[in-house]
């Protein structure tokens, strides 16, 4: 069902966990398939210094989260907002049609996290 690249990323995910002292967070979920994805970021001077994910879901969801976070670290907010699920799929060398939604979740979580940062909605360390 999954290609070699997706399975490699799934077995050896990068950027897993939660960014310490994050100032951006986005959580998305799909009740139909059961995938839940949370991305945290540390943004400084308009640049994403770090990004990590916590994902409960299938191999495609984990691989999409890992790949997407890796693709935005070091990018400006504007560059990260241009990341599309299609780019994540290309980086993974494809996803089965029924798993495309996992890459959409990654794109959505990134957008929500950046939105939370821009709106100043992330609680301070004392509130977390």
């Amino acid at each position: 069902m999954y290609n070699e690249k997706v399975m490699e990323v799934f077995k050896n995910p990068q950027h897993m966990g939660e960014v310490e002292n994050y100032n951006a967070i986005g959580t998305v979920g799909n009740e139909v398939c059961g995938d839940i994805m949370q991305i945290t970021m540390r943004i400084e001077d308009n640049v994403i210094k770090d990004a990590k994910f916590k994902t409960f879901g299938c191999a495609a969801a984990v691989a999409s989260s890992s790949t997407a976070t890796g693709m935005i670290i070091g990018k400006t907010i504007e560059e990260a907002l241009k990341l599309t699920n299609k780019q994540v799929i290309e980086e993974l060398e494809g996803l089965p049609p029924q798993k495309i939604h996992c890459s959409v979740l990654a794109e959505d979580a990134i957008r929500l996290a950046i939105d939370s940062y821009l709106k100043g909605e992330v609680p301070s360390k004392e509130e977390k």
Side-chain angles (χ1 to χ4, degrees), residues 33-93:
C33 69
D35 295 320
I36 307 292
M37 188 180 296
Q38 180 181 77
I39 293 180
T40 54
M41 301 177 198
R42 182 78 199 157
I43 301 172
E44 296 174 14
D45 299 322
N46 203 41
V47 175
I48 299 169
K49 298 293 186 180
D50 197 7
K52 292 188 178 183
F53 75 93
K54 290 182 182 177
T55 295
F56 175 81
C58 63
V62 172
S64 293
S65 304
S66 178
T67 299
T69 51
M71 292 173 78
I72 61 168
I73 294 171
K75 303 279 189 209
T76 65
I77 290 172
E78 292 77 18
E79 291 168 330
L81 286 171
K82 291 178 184 173
L83 179 73
T84 66
N85 75 299
K86 288 179 178 59
Q87 292 169 308
V88 174
I89 293 168
E90 287 172 13
E91 188 69 24
L92 288 169
E93 299 172 6

Side-chain angles (χ1 to χ4, degrees), residues 1-41:
M1 179 172 180
Y2 297 113
N3 68 42
E4 209 173 291
K5 174 92 182 232
V6 171
M7 290 310 297
E8 178 60 31
V9 175
F10 171 67
K11 290 176 185 175
N12 301 291
Q14 303 294 306
H15 319 292
M16 194 167 11
E18 188 174 277
V19 173
E20 191 172 323
N21 296 318
Y22 63 84
N23 58 1
I25 184 170
T27 305
V28 294
N30 184 322
E31 294 175 13
V32 175
C33 69
D35 295 320
I36 307 292
M37 188 180 296
Q38 180 181 77
I39 293 180
T40 54
M41 301 177 198

